[in-house]
Amino acid sequence: GWSAQIDGQFTPESAKQLVNDLNEWALPAALILSNEEKVSPKLWDTALQWAIIVGVVWLILVFIYMISVYSFMNAIISVITLVFFLTLLFAFIKLIWYPLSLSGLAAILLSIWVGVDANILVYERVIEEIKHGSRAQEAINEWYKRSWSAILDANMTSLLIAFLLLFIWTNVFKWFGTMQIVTILFTLLLMVPLIKQLLLFVVKKKE
């Protein structure tokens, strides 16, 4: 009925002080609803299912692209590194009990593209080294020396943007920025060295 009552042991002075305190925080204008959004409790389950489907389709498309442009073995290495990367990433998320949100899930899907980009930089650099007369094993080692700075610079730019997102007072951007930082660090510290080791392993087996 738009009325309220506060009971308690008040003196006239304390009751008057309470009224003054409440009036000081009173809004001068009525609250008007400007936006309303209803979110289904099943939203996360649906989004997770579609994210898994998109991830699997993405891996298949990466495999097809790598076969058509490079070779079957390069495609296998790309898929292995991406699966290894995602497995360790989700294990890390589970280990630290990170509350994975929809924006964080979007950052993980974006990290797959970043991983593919790293694979392409590696293969193109190895091909250039072989064209200049280097043996396969020497070409891989030279790639690691010369291309690491390019891969690092590209990821450091994204890392800087991710840190800036952390200072935005919106949870969507914060969760996206946090997960982007984690995926970039995993790419630099795990995926790129793994690509090198797998390439060296394949070359040694062929020799």
Side-chain angles (χ1 to χ4, degrees), residues 48 52 85-95 100 105 108 186:
L48 181 60
I52 294 174
F85 165 77
L86 292 174
T87 301
L88 289 183
L89 179 61
F90 282 112
F92 177 76
I93 292 172
K94 179 66 175 178
L95 181 64
L100 187 59
L105 197 59
I108 293 175
F186 269 62

Side-chain angles (χ1 to χ4, degrees), residues 23 28 50 70 78 82 86 109 139 143 145 165 170 174-175 187 190 207:
N23 287 332
W50 278 108
Y70 299 103
S78 298
L82 289 174
L86 292 174
L109 292 176
W143 149 74
K145 294 178 182 178
L165 291 176
T170 304
K174 281 189 174 182
W175 292 127
T187 300
L190 296 175
E207 292 179 352

Side-chain angles (χ1 to χ4, degrees), residues 24-183:
E24 286 180 358
W25 289 97
L27 295 175
L31 291 176
I32 300 175
L33 181 63
S34 61
N35 187 25
E36 183 178 3
E37 183 179 358
K38 295 182 180 180
V39 179
S40 171
K42 297 182 179 180
L43 175 63
W44 170 250
D45 291 336
T46 304
L48 181 60
Q49 292 174 2
W50 278 108
I52 294 174
I53 294 173
V54 170
V56 172
V57 172
W58 208 329
L59 288 175
I60 294 174
L61 292 177
V62 168
F63 184 75
I64 295 173
Y65 175 79
M66 289 298 179
I67 287 180
S68 60
V69 176
Y70 299 103
S71 66
F72 177 80
M73 188 55 63
N74 288 339
I76 291 293
I77 292 176
S78 298
V79 172
I80 289 176
T81 55
L82 289 174
V83 171
F84 178 78
F85 165 77
L86 292 174
T87 301
L88 289 183
L89 179 61
F90 282 112
F92 177 76
I93 292 172
K94 179 66 175 178
L95 181 64
I96 65 173
W97 290 94
Y98 177 81
L100 187 59
S101 62
L102 295 180
S103 56
L105 197 59
I108 293 175
L109 292 176
L110 178 63
S111 68
I112 299 178
W113 175 83
V114 176
V116 174
D117 182 61
N119 278 266
I120 292 175
L121 284 174
V122 170
Y123 298 151
E124 288 294 331
R125 188 63 189 178
V126 170
I127 291 174
E128 290 182 5
E129 292 294 335
I130 292 176
K131 286 181 179 179
H132 285 82
S134 300
R135 295 177 57 191
Q137 190 169 347
E138 295 175 352
I140 296 171
N141 291 324
E142 285 298 320
W143 149 74
Y144 197 77
K145 294 178 182 178
R146 298 182 181 181
S147 295
W148 175 251
S149 59
I151 296 175
L152 183 62
D153 290 343
N155 283 276
M156 288 303 293
T157 304
S158 301
L159 192 63
L160 177 61
I161 296 174
F163 274 112
L164 292 177
L165 291 176
L166 293 179
F167 294 96
I168 299 178
W169 290 100
T170 304
N171 287 333
V172 173
F173 295 109
K174 281 189 174 182
W175 292 127
F176 183 86
T178 302
M179 185 50 59
Q180 191 175 15
I181 291 172
V182 174
T183 56

